[in-house]
């Protein structure tokens, strides 16, 4: 579990450094910190990836702490590492690292160089939270964070009104998708008393569930996906 927390929170540490003290640092240092945290996360992700490839790594499903505890259900902050999530770890950290390297040169003359890298690090942090969450609520937090960072990055050069308009458009369209995703989560929680992926899989395979309910939940989650990916 420690390695998973390192993968997730190293980019967040990079965000904190660049956001709060980056202005006092040379641009090269801000770029190294921003890129280096992603590189280390990529290295850890590669270890997990090759572990699954050669059969030495097993699925990890761990609850870090109880988040919401009510009489009918408990929602935890949990992480899930399996073949699917580790593949996306490689994509997020690998491509994310290359984007950071490219941005060092592309943004070098910008006076808010450190701010841009703090946004990039925060984007990677929320993306990792999205792909590693073991329940819908953790995934949704990552989902919302990615939308926020998209808004900040699209409108980074805010003095250009066209960029501001594009950022606002992306923000509004994401909110439409998020509403559908959130309603789907509410239906899952109300009907199954759980948001954990593994628990839901067991419940759906072992109990009689209305096809109408399943279609409604699926369509709402689908609305979330097409809203986030700009298909609406």
């Amino acid at each position: 579990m420690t390695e998973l927390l390192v993968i997730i929170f190293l980019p967040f540490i990079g965000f904190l450094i660049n956001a709060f003290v980056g202005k006092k640092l040379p641009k090269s240092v801000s770029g190294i910190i921003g890129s280096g945290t992603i590189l280390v996360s990529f290295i850890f992700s590669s270890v997990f990836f090759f572990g699954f490839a050669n059969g030495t790594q097993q699925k990890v499903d761990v609850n870090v702490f109880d988040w919401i505890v009510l009489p009918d259900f408990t929602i935890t902050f949990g992480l899930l590492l399996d073949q699917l999530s580790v593949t996306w770890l490689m994509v997020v950290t690998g491509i994310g690292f290359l984007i950071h390297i490219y941005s060092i040169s592309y943004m070098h003359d910008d006076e808010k160089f450190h701010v841009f890298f703090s946004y990039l690090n925060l984007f990677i942090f929320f993306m990792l939270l999205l792909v590693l969450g073991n329940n819908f609520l953790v995934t949704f937090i990552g989902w919302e964070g990615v939308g926020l960072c998209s808004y900040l990055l699209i409108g980074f050069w805010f003095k250009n009104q066209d960029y501001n308009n594009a950022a606002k458009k992306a923000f509004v369209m994401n909110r439409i998708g998020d509403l559908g995703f959130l309603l789907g989560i509410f239906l899952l929680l109300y009907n199954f008393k759980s948001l954990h992926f593994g628990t839901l899989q067991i419940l759906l395979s072992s109990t009689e569930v209305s096809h109408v309910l399943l279609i409604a939940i699926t369509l709402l989650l689908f609305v979330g996906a097409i809203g986030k990916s700009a298909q609406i």
Side-chain angles (χ1 to χ4, degrees), residues 28-182:
S28 59
V29 175
S30 289
I32 290 172
I33 291 173
S35 304
T37 55
I38 309 304
L39 176 60
V40 175
S41 291
F42 174 71
I43 292 172
F44 276 96
S45 300
S46 300
V47 172
F48 283 126
F49 179 82
F50 288 110
F52 276 108
N54 60 31
T56 59
Q57 177 64 50
Q58 301 298 317
K59 175 180 175 181
V60 177
D61 189 346
V62 58
N63 294 324
V64 181
F65 60 86
D66 291 337
W67 195 351
I68 300 174
V69 180
L70 294 174
D72 291 338
F73 60 85
T74 298
I75 298 177
T76 63
F77 181 90
L79 303 174
L80 173 63
L81 182 73
D82 58 11
Q83 288 90 340
L84 178 61
S85 60
V86 78
T87 300
W88 282 108
L89 279 184
M90 295 293 288
V91 173
V92 173
T93 57
I95 296 179
F97 173 68
L98 295 178
I99 292 172
H100 278 69
I101 293 297
Y102 177 81
S103 298
I104 290 176
S105 175
Y106 187 81
M107 298 296 294
H108 188 267
D109 296 328
D110 196 284
E111 60 181 8
K112 292 189 175 182
F113 180 90
H114 65 286
V115 177
F116 185 81
F117 270 83
S118 70
Y119 291 167
L120 278 183
N121 275 178
L122 190 62
F123 185 95
I124 297 297
F125 164 73
F126 280 121
M127 185 66 75
L128 292 172
L129 200 61
L130 191 159
V131 301
L132 282 174
N134 73 352
N135 64 71
F136 274 102
L137 187 57
V138 176
T139 297
F140 185 74
I141 298 301
W143 186 278
E144 284 295 289
V146 167
L148 170 64
C149 293
S150 296
Y151 171 78
L152 294 173
L153 288 167
I154 294 170
F156 181 75
W157 285 312
F158 57 87
K159 294 180 180 180
N160 186 317
Q161 189 57 41
D162 289 338
Y163 298 153
N164 284 333
N165 292 336
K168 287 185 285 187
K169 181 179 179 181
F171 187 82
V172 170
M173 299 314 294
N174 278 337
R175 298 294 75 73
I176 295 173
D178 293 346
L179 177 61
F181 196 85
L182 196 57

Side-chain angles (χ1 to χ4, degrees), residues 169 173-174 176-178 222-232:
K169 181 179 179 181
M173 299 314 294
N174 278 337
I176 295 173
D178 293 346
F222 182 65
V223 167
I226 61 177
K228 184 68 73 178
S229 57
Q231 295 180 64
I232 295 181

